Amino acid sequence: MKQFLTLMALLFIIISCTEKQPLTISGKIENALQDYVTIQVFYSGKTDTLTLNPENNTFSGEINLEGEYFAQLLNGNLGIPLYLQPGANIHIELDVEDFKNNKGLNTNITGEGSENSAFMFSLRDKSFYIDQTLIALPVDSFMAKAEGFNNSILEEIEKYEKGKSPSRQFIEKIKFEQKVKLALTYNTYSRYHSHFAPQDTTPLPEIFNTLAEEIPLDNYEYYKELREYKHFVLTQFQDKIKEKVSEQGYKRQSVKRVNANFDEIVALDVSQEIKDELGNRVIGSYTYSPDSIQKIMKERYVDVIKNQDYIDAFKKVAATVDALKPGTIAPGFEYNDIDGNLVTSESLKGKVIYID
């Protein structure tokens, strides 16, 4: 009995230590864009803000994690990819000017458990950034470039896997994300190639469709953590809804089409988070939609969207747009004239106003 109790106590200690070890993150940022850094953990949606010490531009903090996740360190619009694990101690040193002049080559990511983050950062120059010039290429040339970039990254992952023996989770996620990136690249080319190269009528290879079909749309854990996969899932559902609605023959910018969009989203057998995102994309056109469509959006958005932040943001946009419609009372204002005197809208009521 004593041996059993001793074993249970040891197991409790081991489990407690492995599950509750916080991650320590620290660093130094020269020529910072802001006086703080933000750590975003995509899976949980958690955001930590760490203030830079004004004397030496350093920061430090701890983050409690339940698992190992992709994340990002932000300073202004500068982002550094991270892979966070409980018990890790990641230290980052960078100079913002170095990113402007030297692509961040002098950035250092060190410390226990920092290897995955450093590896992800090393892949920054191997990413395939698709632009108008690439989209206009003939399909064979485009595929050669896209697959060349993809294969070079997969080779780097294989070398890293053999040399550093990272966790199985990390390798599975980073390989999966790379497959998603290639599928999104093919998707973008399929969408816009005819626009930028109307003279090219070459049929697209089957892989442009089959690669996307190989990727499941129901991996909710990856949806929460992998931003590329989240974008892929939403794009796939948007395309499927667009195809269904188009088959019904509704005109663009019509009330029937908007209603059909809402109906299709409601009917989806997916998580509420996905419905929130899809619904939010529909109402994103509210500001420049005709009054008849704005009316439907205000009536129907509650059928789809349950995310309170999205609801509050939409109400704010709708109120602002509605307040500026013809026939409504103009919002109040005040300003100083050329002599420095305060002029208010109230003081101008009933007067003829000439604006130069």
Side-chain angles (χ1 to χ4, degrees):
M1 186 67 178
K2 287 184 179 179
Q3 288 179 332
F4 175 75
L5 292 174
T6 303
L7 179 60
M8 291 300 294
L10 285 172
L11 285 172
F12 177 78
I13 292 171
I14 291 170
I15 291 170
S16 299
C17 290
T18 54
E19 286 188 352
K20 297 185 178 180
Q21 290 184 73
L23 170 140
T24 301
I25 186 163
S26 60
K28 183 175 184 179
I29 301 181
E30 299 291 355
N31 300 302
L33 299 170
Q34 293 173 319
D35 60 1
Y36 61 90
V37 297
T38 301
I39 312 296
Q40 294 180 325
V41 182
F42 305 128
Y43 181 87
S44 63
K46 183 179 180 180
T47 298
D48 283 292
T49 301
L50 305 175
T51 304
L52 293 179
N53 185 327
E55 295 182 2
N56 53 18
N57 304 313
T58 61
F59 65 90
S60 180
E62 289 187 348
I63 301 173
N64 291 310
L65 298 169
E66 295 180 358
E68 51 184 79
Y69 303 117
F70 281 101
Q72 179 177 223
L73 179 145
L74 287 170
N75 180 247
N77 60 0
L78 176 63
I80 303 294
L82 298 173
Y83 192 73
L84 307 183
Q85 299 166 270
N89 188 347
I90 300 176
H91 184 77
I92 303 167
E93 292 196 2
L94 63 90
D95 187 332
V96 172
E97 291 298 318
D98 179 48
F99 277 83
K100 297 177 182 177
N101 305 321
N102 206 23
K103 297 184 179 179
L105 288 175
N106 296 313
T107 297
N108 290 311
I109 303 177
T110 58
E112 184 180 353
S114 68
E115 295 84 2
N116 291 338
S117 297
F119 173 68
M120 289 166 59
F121 184 76
S122 73
L123 296 178
R124 69 196 181 284
D125 289 334
K126 290 183 169 56
S127 297
F128 187 66
Y129 299 105
I130 187 168
D131 58 17
Q132 177 179 333
T133 303
L134 289 171
I135 294 173
L137 288 175
V139 64
D140 289 345
S141 300
F142 177 82
M143 279 191 69
K145 285 183 176 293
E147 290 184 356
F149 272 93
N150 184 64
N151 291 336
S152 68
I153 290 178
L154 290 178
E155 287 173 7
E156 291 295 326
I157 294 173
E158 298 255 345
K159 284 193 289 186
Y160 179 71
E161 184 178 9
K162 291 177 181 177
K164 298 291 185 180
S165 300
S167 70
R168 178 183 54 81
Q169 287 185 53
F170 175 73
I171 292 299
E172 286 180 354
K173 284 188 278 194
I174 201 167
K175 283 184 176 180
F176 180 84
E177 189 172 47
Q178 190 56 37
K179 185 175 183 178
V180 169
K181 286 180 180 179
L182 184 60
L184 283 170
T185 297
Y186 286 158
N187 181 277
T188 302
Y189 184 87
S190 302
R191 285 171 182 268
Y192 301 111
H193 178 64
S194 60
H195 174 75
F196 292 111
Q199 74 286 351
D200 186 3
T201 57
T202 307
L204 296 179
E206 191 64 25
I207 193 173
F208 277 59
N209 295 318
T210 56
L211 183 62
E213 291 170 358
E214 293 173 4
I215 300 172
L217 301 179
D218 58 356
N219 191 327
Y220 184 57
E221 295 296 297
Y222 278 6
Y223 177 85
K224 291 192 291 183
E225 182 179 4
L226 307 180
R227 290 182 300 168
E228 294 285 352
Y229 178 63
K230 179 177 181 177
H231 176 55
F232 174 80
V233 169
L234 295 175
T235 298
Q236 289 295 302
F237 279 120
Q238 266 191 310
D239 288 348
K240 292 177 189 299
I241 290 171
K242 183 179 179 181
E243 186 178 349
K244 281 188 177 181
V245 172
S246 296
E247 288 173 354
Q248 298 173 41
Y250 299 136
K251 295 179 181 178
R252 295 187 65 184
Q253 287 292 305
S254 69
V255 169
K256 288 184 177 180
R257 191 180 184 96
V258 175
N259 264 321
N261 268 304
F262 281 122
D263 290 340
E264 291 295 336
I265 296 172
V266 170
L268 287 174
D269 183 19
V270 297
S271 68
Q272 183 57 46
E273 287 88 342
I274 293 177
K275 292 185 179 184
D276 285 335
E277 294 291 341
L278 293 171
N280 202 43
R281 292 186 178 195
V282 172
I283 63 176
S285 61
Y286 181 87
T287 55
Y288 51 86
S289 294
D291 289 351
S292 58
I293 291 180
Q294 289 183 350
K295 181 175 181 293
I296 294 300
M297 287 182 178
K298 284 197 288 188
E299 291 174 355
R300 296 289 315 270
Y301 81 95
V302 292
D303 295 340
V304 175
I305 300 175
K306 309 303 177 185
N307 182 307
Q308 193 59 48
D309 289 338
Y310 289 168
I311 291 173
D312 292 343
F314 176 67
K315 286 181 177 179
K316 186 175 180 180
V317 168
T320 301
V321 172
D322 293 350
L324 298 175
K325 286 185 176 180
T328 58
I329 298 175
F333 62 85
E334 60 180 39
Y335 66 94
N336 292 318
D337 64 16
I338 58 175
D339 298 318
N341 299 315
L342 182 67
V343 178
T344 68
S345 53
E346 282 294 317
S347 67
L348 298 175
K349 275 187 178 180
K351 298 180 181 179
V352 176
I353 305 167
Y354 173 72
I355 301 175
D356 185 355

